[in-house]
């Protein structure tokens, strides 16, 4: 292994891996939320969009190819992100071998404390979400190819909507700390950048979590039916 | 005023340790926290008991020797203040005070509140130096330093190496300390030649000392008696990234 590769095995190297893979997800969740907004334009537009994802890049790419490339990138990023998180968490646990009787919470924001349990919750949610709306394995009334129907009937269940709500809370906290933190980890810092880091993180967290949260709410209140 | 202290007592590195409760009687508001402990220790010695061991030297907030966690806060409740500069007017008659050592695998307890911080010395030794021409003193201002860089380097150099950042960090990470020690040389032209080597070597030493990984909580900055900013951690990450991918400078 070259020197550079070895240097990515230090905690700083692993954090850089987390930040880069995290940014891939940030791009994904923004795009995903934005795409989902088409649900407000009705079944035809939404299903056309869902189908369009598979035809993306045509004729250069064939049916479904871009979607699978995107999925491959996300899977690699997820594996890198989770693997780094595990290694870093283990390192930090070992570093505080004796616990304090009491240690005041002195961190800048409580969101930073949610990264580990929130990350685990997100991982569980990603699996559930795929089984629910992508593959339909845990969906009681799944119709392949009718994304609009699957979304609406899915969210008509209150417990299912509650799961999505909790996951979006975890995602919002993860984004609020993660986006700010990624700048720090990648060394993108300076008087001017630092002024926009908090607002940017808050904005992304609110837009993504809030936007996604609006879908179950809209279904349960009958706005989307 | 009379206070109840719950102090961590640990006879040796191998001892399991426990909290022991002491009454601190007739404490004066003008005493420093360490003077209060001195008085408690005099009482213990008179009764033939072992005094509470704690580190201290200058008692002026400049040497970085003192340090203990007071009611869950490294160096106690006063911002930008070492525990030797904490004064008893902070407390009221009847208060309970819990006193613990820094807790980190990188800082093993030697005795009571005294921990071994030579891990920090080894991080400095790994790269905290510059190559300088020996012989006659160079002319003043022979190497121009932009004022902004000089000031930032001074800010970083004000780290006294107390270890409160590690103590406060939920991960027991030493990133704030290491970033300050790297930055105060990397920001100056005199530190240039070793810039890439310095950041790599000091980070590798930090990793070898069993500290945790930084998750950018910011607790270190809040606890730091010298107000070292986490901006230096971002700078450390940037210098590390460029050194790791082989660009120096
Ligand atoms: C949609 C999914 C996700 C997004 C958008 C995301 C995004 C991010 C970002 C941007 C960071 C900041 C990197 C840095 O600190 O520099 C981060 C950190 C982190 N992520 Fe994720 N992540 C996601 C999923 C997960 C999952 C599934 C886990 C599961 C273990 C996880 C665990 C963590 C942990 C432990 C950190 C480090 C926390 C810290 O810096 O304090 N994340 N994430
Ligand atoms: S950065 Fe602050 S808290 Fe950490 S060792 Fe230096 S002076 Fe102490
Ligand atoms: S004893 Fe020197 S800083 Fe407290």
């Amino acid at each position: 292994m070259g020197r550079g590769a070895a240097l990515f095995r230090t905690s700083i190297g692993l954090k850089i891996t987390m930040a880069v893979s995290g940014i891939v997800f940030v791009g994904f969740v923004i795009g995903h939320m934005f795409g989902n907004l088409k649900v407000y334009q009705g079944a035809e537009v939404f299903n056309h969009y869902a189908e369009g994802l598979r035809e993306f890049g045509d004729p250069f790419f064939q049916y479904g190819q871009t979607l699978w490339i995107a999925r491959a990138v996300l899977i690699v990023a997820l594996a890198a992100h989770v693997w780094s998180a595990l290694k870093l968490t283990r390192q930090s646990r070992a570093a505080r071998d004796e616990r304090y009787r009491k240690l005041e919470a002195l961190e800048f924001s409580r969101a930073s404390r949610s990264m580990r349990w929130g990350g685990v919750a997100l991982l569980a949610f990603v699996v559930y979400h795929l089984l629910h709306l992508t593959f339909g394995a845990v969906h009681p009334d799944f119709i392949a190819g009718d994304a609009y129907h699957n979304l609406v009937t899915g969210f008509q269940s209150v417990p299912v909507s509650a799961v999505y709500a909790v996951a979006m809370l975890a995602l919002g906290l993860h984004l609020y700390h993660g986006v700010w933190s990624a700048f720090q980890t990648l060394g993108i810092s300076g008087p001017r950048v630092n002024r926009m880091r908090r607002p940017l993180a808050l904005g992304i967290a609110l837009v993504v979590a809030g936007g996604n949260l609006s879908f179950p709410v809209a279904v349960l209140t009958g706005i989307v039916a | 005023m009379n206070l109840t202290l719950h102090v961590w007592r640990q006879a040796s590195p191998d001892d399991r340790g426990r909290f022991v409760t002491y009454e601190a009687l007739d404490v004066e508001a003008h005493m420093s926290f360490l003077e209060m402990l001195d008085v408690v220790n005099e009482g213990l010695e008179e009764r033939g008991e072992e005094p509470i061991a704690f580190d201290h030297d200058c008692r002026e907030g400049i040497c970085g020797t003192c340090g203990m966690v007071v009611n869950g806060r490294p160096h106690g409740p006063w911002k930008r203040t070492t525990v030797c500069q904490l004064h008893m007017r902070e407390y009221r008659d009847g208060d309970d005070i819990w006193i613990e050592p820094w807790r980190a695998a990188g800082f093993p307890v030697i005795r009571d509140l005294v921990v071994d911080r030579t891990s920090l010395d080894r991080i400095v030794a790994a790269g905290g130096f510059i190559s300088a021409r020996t012989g006659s003193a160079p002319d003043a201002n022979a190497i121009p330093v932009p004022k902004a860089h000089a000031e930032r380097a001074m800010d970083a150099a004000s780290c006294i190496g107390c270890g409160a950042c590690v103590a406060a960090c939920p991960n027991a990470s030493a990133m704030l300390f290491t970033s300050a020690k790297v930055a105060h040389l990397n920001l100056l032209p005199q530190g240039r030649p070793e810039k890439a080597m310095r950041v790599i070597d000091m980070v590798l030493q930090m990793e070898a000392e069993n500290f945790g990984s930084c998750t950018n909580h910011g607790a270190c900055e809040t606890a730091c008696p010298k107000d070292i900013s986490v901006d230096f951690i971002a700078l450390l990450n940037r210098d590390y990234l460029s050194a790791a991918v082989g660009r120096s400078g």
Side-chain angles (χ1 to χ4, degrees):
Chain A
M1 194 190 323
R3 171 170 157 275
L7 290 174
F8 276 90
R9 311 245 306 226
T10 64
S11 64
I12 296 185
L14 289 171
K15 281 289 299 207
I16 292 169
T17 308
M18 294 217 70
V20 171
S21 54
I23 288 168
V24 171
F25 295 143
V26 173
F28 167 75
V29 290
I30 292 174
H32 189 42
M33 195 286 294
F34 182 75
N36 288 342
L37 286 175
K38 293 180 180 48
V39 81
Y40 292 117
Q41 289 167 270
E44 203 180 316
V45 174
F46 189 68
N47 283 345
H48 176 69
Y49 153 72
E51 183 58 23
L53 286 179
R54 284 155 182 81
E55 290 160 7
F56 205 82
D58 183 74
F60 187 76
F61 289 107
Q62 288 172 354
Y63 185 83
Q65 276 184 345
T66 21
L67 191 62
W68 274 108
I69 291 169
R71 283 175 177 164
V73 170
L74 287 170
I75 288 169
V76 170
L78 187 67
H81 198 79
V82 173
W83 183 74
S84 310
L86 278 175
K87 282 201 69 151
L88 292 172
T89 303
R90 230 182 291 139
Q91 179 183 347
S92 292
R93 288 266 155 85
R96 170 87 10 93
D97 49 348
E98 285 278 344
R99 303 192 72 81
Y100 287 105
R101 175 188 167 271
K102 183 177 151 192
L103 184 65
E104 230 180 89
L106 300 173
E107 59 270 18
F108 295 157
S109 97
R110 297 312 293 262
S112 65
R113 292 269 183 153
S114 76
M115 297 307 271
R116 288 180 188 148
W117 69 259
V120 172
L122 284 175
L123 188 60
F125 171 73
V126 168
V127 174
Y128 171 75
H129 177 54
L130 288 175
L131 292 177
H132 185 229
L133 289 177
T134 302
F135 302 114
V138 299
H139 194 293
D141 183 20
F142 191 79
I143 301 174
D146 193 347
Y148 186 85
H149 165 88
N150 296 335
L151 186 148
V152 171
T153 51
F155 287 152
Q156 272 162 357
S157 155
V158 173
V160 168
S161 285
V163 167
Y164 276 82
V166 171
M168 287 311 112
L169 180 72
L171 180 59
L173 290 172
H174 208 87
L175 287 170
Y176 179 63
H177 179 68
V179 169
W180 180 85
S181 174
F183 281 90
Q184 190 78 358
T185 303
L186 297 176
I188 307 167
S189 164
R192 233 174 314 143
V193 189
N194 288 357
R195 243 172 290 141
M196 47 68 64
R197 279 167 58 188
R198 278 286 170 214
L200 180 73
L202 181 65
I204 291 179
L206 285 179
V207 166
V208 171
N212 283 336
L213 208 51
S214 79
F215 307 127
V217 170
V219 168
L220 288 175
T221 55
I223 297 173
V224 167
Chain B
M1 71 185 113
N2 297 329
L3 303 164
T4 306
L5 309 183
H6 309 273
V7 184
W8 184 259
R9 300 304 306 264
Q10 184 173 338
S12 68
D14 306 320
D15 182 17
R16 289 212 43 187
R18 72 215 64 85
F19 283 101
V20 178
T21 301
Y22 301 99
E23 300 302 323
L25 305 177
D26 301 321
V27 174
E28 306 276 352
H30 66 259
M31 284 179 175
S32 76
F33 198 83
L34 300 190
E35 281 167 340
M36 181 275 293
L37 288 179
D38 290 337
V39 172
V40 171
N41 275 345
E42 280 169 22
L44 287 176
E45 283 179 62
E46 273 167 28
R47 284 185 274 143
E49 293 177 38
E50 278 294 325
I52 301 158
F54 60 90
D55 262 332
H56 59 96
D57 190 13
C58 70
R59 299 203 178 197
E60 293 183 317
I62 53 174
C63 75
T65 310
C66 64
M68 55 191 78
V69 172
V70 181
N71 282 344
R73 268 187 101 109
H75 287 302
W78 289 3
K79 285 206 159 230
R80 293 182 289 280
T81 307
T82 53
V83 72
C84 59
Q85 292 287 290
L86 173 64
H87 279 70
M88 296 312 292
R89 61 178 176 274
E90 166 70 17
Y91 296 97
R92 297 287 159 265
D93 189 51
D95 278 357
D96 268 48
I97 304 178
W98 291 81
I99 307 173
E100 295 180 72
W102 290 171
R103 295 200 188 276
F107 292 160
V109 173
I110 297 172
R111 187 186 182 90
D112 298 339
L113 306 173
V114 178
V115 298
D116 180 354
R117 284 169 291 185
T118 50
S119 47
L120 300 187
D121 300 339
R122 287 188 292 270
I123 294 173
V124 170
F129 51 81
I130 60 166
S131 354
R133 187 173 61 90
T134 54
S136 58
D139 286 340
N141 299 329
I143 305 171
V145 181
K147 178 150 168 61
H149 288 197
E151 294 204 339
R152 283 197 80 201
M154 266 311 280
D155 286 347
S158 66
C159 164
I160 54 176
C162 63
C165 44
V166 177
C169 176
N171 302 305
S173 163
M175 284 283 276
L176 191 64
F177 167 82
T178 306
S179 72
K181 294 302 169 199
V182 168
H184 91 266
L185 297 176
N186 273 11
L187 282 166
L188 294 175
Q190 289 88 342
R192 275 270 146 156
E194 301 84 4
K195 187 176 174 190
M197 190 185 82
R198 172 179 304 113
V199 63
I200 300 279
D201 288 347
M202 289 177 76
V203 166
L204 290 179
Q205 190 61 39
M206 173 184 84
E207 295 280 299
E209 299 289 353
N210 301 321
F211 292 111
S213 89
C214 175
T215 50
N216 300 322
H217 285 296
C220 50
E221 182 184 304
T222 315
C224 175
K226 297 297 158 187
D227 229 4
I228 303 294
S229 162
V230 294
D231 292 352
F232 289 118
I233 295 181
L235 191 62
L236 175 74
N237 290 333
R238 187 197 312 178
D239 286 353
Y240 186 85
L241 185 58
S242 52
V245 299
R247 280 189 300 124
S248 60

